[in-house]
Amino acid sequence: MTAYGIQLPVQSQSTIYAEPWEAGAGPEDLVAVARAADRAGFAYIAACDHVAIPRRLAPAMSTVWYDPVATLAHLAGVTERVRLLSHVAVVGLRHPLLTAKQYATLDHLSGGRLILGVGAGHVQEEFEVLGVDFAGRGAVLDESIDALRKALGPDEFPEHHGKLYDFADLGQRPRPAQTHVPLWVGGSSPAAVRRAALKGDGWLPQGDPRDRLPAQIDRIRHLRAEAGLDGPFTVGAIAEPLYVGTPAWDVGRRTLSGPPDELAASLRAYRAMGVDQLQVRFRSRDRAELVDQISAFGADIAPHL
């Protein structure tokens, strides 16, 4: 069966995907949606990461980007079992020990529900103002992953010696509740796919359409086999926007809508490609409609995936 998760509304409001109602929404809406996903059997809820949006990008990206650690920690306290995913944390913007302190605490407080999703980032001004090399962000991310593996591992005094970061004899507790925090790598560029295959426990594509996924998944399998990596690996995908049932309003040309059995049949194609977890998104006109969509998906579609 394919697991299913959701990127939360409200916490990031890029014009590419935010619904109009989210502009006036707040913490109570976020909590209601997270609880609905928890009840409906969703594998994870996800939050994005940006520190500051430059004025030139604000009209498209908006400046609404909740901090993922604070957001997921808040939602951990009002949910019971759903996992908490950063999709994705731009970990190169912060020293790995700082990132490890935040996410280890989140994992500890939530009883081991963290999935750390990481990505390279794309906003140059964000890197510059924080004093991080934007042009070399791929190399920064590569070493950050190595350092985070150590810093989120079992050792109270983690040790890492690299080109960018060097630490030892510095203790951090609490340790994560999980003995191994899953680390998923986001992005669909050749470098990102390679990084996911060789350094990650999973891959979070950046909106690859269905027809591009099989080749990407084949490349990941090939790279892992070539490197002799045979441990568990979670392949992700982001589904088209969904609307369960027959909409009484214009949900857009790309949205998949219709009766649950038809939607389930369409989504099963992802599993056939080798997808392990599917991130879903629903069209909605208000919080109540979104909660209804999440509930309907969990009850009527998920059992058929």
Side-chain angles (χ1 to χ4, degrees), residues 146-162:
D146 294 339
L148 283 166
R149 288 281 194 202
K150 298 288 180 61
L152 289 170
D155 296 337
E156 181 182 350
F157 293 88
E159 190 169 334
H160 171 81
H161 303 288

Side-chain angles (χ1 to χ4, degrees), residues 6-25 33 62 64 240-243 249-252 255 281-287 289-291 293:
I6 189 169
Q7 178 85 261
L8 290 164
V10 182
Q11 53 82 33
S12 72
Q13 294 187 28
S14 165
T15 58
I16 295 169
Y17 49 72
E19 297 284 12
W21 68 266
E22 294 177 50
V33 173
S62 94
V64 179
E240 301 85 349
L242 304 175
Y243 192 91
W249 58 288
D250 181 10
V251 294
T255 301
R281 181 164 72 85
F282 304 96
R283 297 299 318 274
S284 60
R285 292 166 291 181
D286 54 30
R287 179 181 101 190
E289 187 167 33
L290 178 54
V291 166
Q293 285 286 304

